[in-house]
Amino acid sequence: LPARFVVGDADGVALLFAETGGAGPERPRSVGGQVSPLVGRERELALLMSLREECLREGVARAALVVGGCGTGKTRLAREFLSLAGELPGNIIRCTGTLVRPEADFALLAPLLAAAGIPTAGREAAQVRRDFAQWLRGMCPGGAPIVVSEDLQWADAASVQVMDEVLGLLSD
């Protein structure tokens, strides 16, 4: 896989944990060679675009939580948003929750933190949070990065807490 993919191993099984530095929106699935339009998520897409504009205009960090059952268009909404946001690929970070190691601290962010050179072993959450916020600031000097976390229901509490606190730090 290209370097933008963060891969790992769990009990001999190769896993894709995250995409960084070049991750862009994938092409939506097509039927008969035709890409279907986004249906039923136009309001959420407009809200996401509005939040993005606010982040750029006011220099604040914001979060949006998109919820829905399986197959209701959450991933497609994220793809459409990333496509319309017109962000540089390096400013887009994608990570996915997994059931493989839910008990491990920073399981959701561990591959991303490792790729960023941020150690987690034996460190307090506050140290990890500070380093992660600093890395995110340095990653996108001209604007805020877009972080897309999928399957957040499988994320560990430490990663979610760090992301929540980093949002606050980036807003200051």
Side-chain angles (χ1 to χ4, degrees):
L1 291 175
R4 74 175 191 255
F5 294 103
V6 180
V7 296
D9 180 83
D11 298 326
V13 177
L15 299 170
L16 173 64
F17 287 112
E19 282 182 81
T20 63
E26 303 88 7
R27 184 171 170 83
R29 292 185 188 126
S30 61
V31 177
Q34 298 293 317
V35 175
S36 60
L38 179 69
V39 176
R41 292 284 190 167
E42 295 83 3
R43 182 175 175 193
E44 290 95 337
L45 182 58
L47 177 60
L48 290 173
M49 293 304 295
S50 175
L51 282 174
R52 181 69 178 152
E53 290 302 317
E54 179 184 1
C55 291
L56 294 173
R57 185 178 58 250
E58 298 181 21
V60 297
R62 295 285 184 252
L65 182 63
V66 178
V67 296
C70 294
T72 59
K74 298 178 301 293
T75 298
R76 175 65 187 271
L77 174 63
R79 290 175 182 161
E80 292 289 329
F81 168 67
L82 293 174
S83 177
L84 290 174
E87 193 61 55
L88 294 172
N91 291 359
I92 299 170
I93 302 165
R94 299 185 75 156
C95 49
T96 303
T98 179
L99 279 172
V100 175
R101 295 177 295 152
E103 73 286 346
D105 282 347
F106 310 112
L108 174 70
L109 296 177
L112 182 59
L113 295 171
I118 301 170
T120 58
R123 298 183 76 210
E124 295 292 322
Q127 295 171 305
V128 174
R129 178 183 63 239
R130 183 192 66 239
D131 291 349
F132 187 48
Q134 182 178 357
W135 179 77
L136 284 173
R137 281 189 187 111
M139 189 180 156
C140 307
I146 297 174
V147 179
V148 177
S149 298
E150 296 208 43
D151 295 328
L152 200 57
Q153 72 271 22
W154 305 124
D156 59 290
S159 290
V160 173
Q161 181 181 4
V162 164
M163 287 299 295
D164 180 50
E165 293 172 0
V166 164
L167 277 168
L169 290 174
L170 292 175
S171 292
D172 297 338

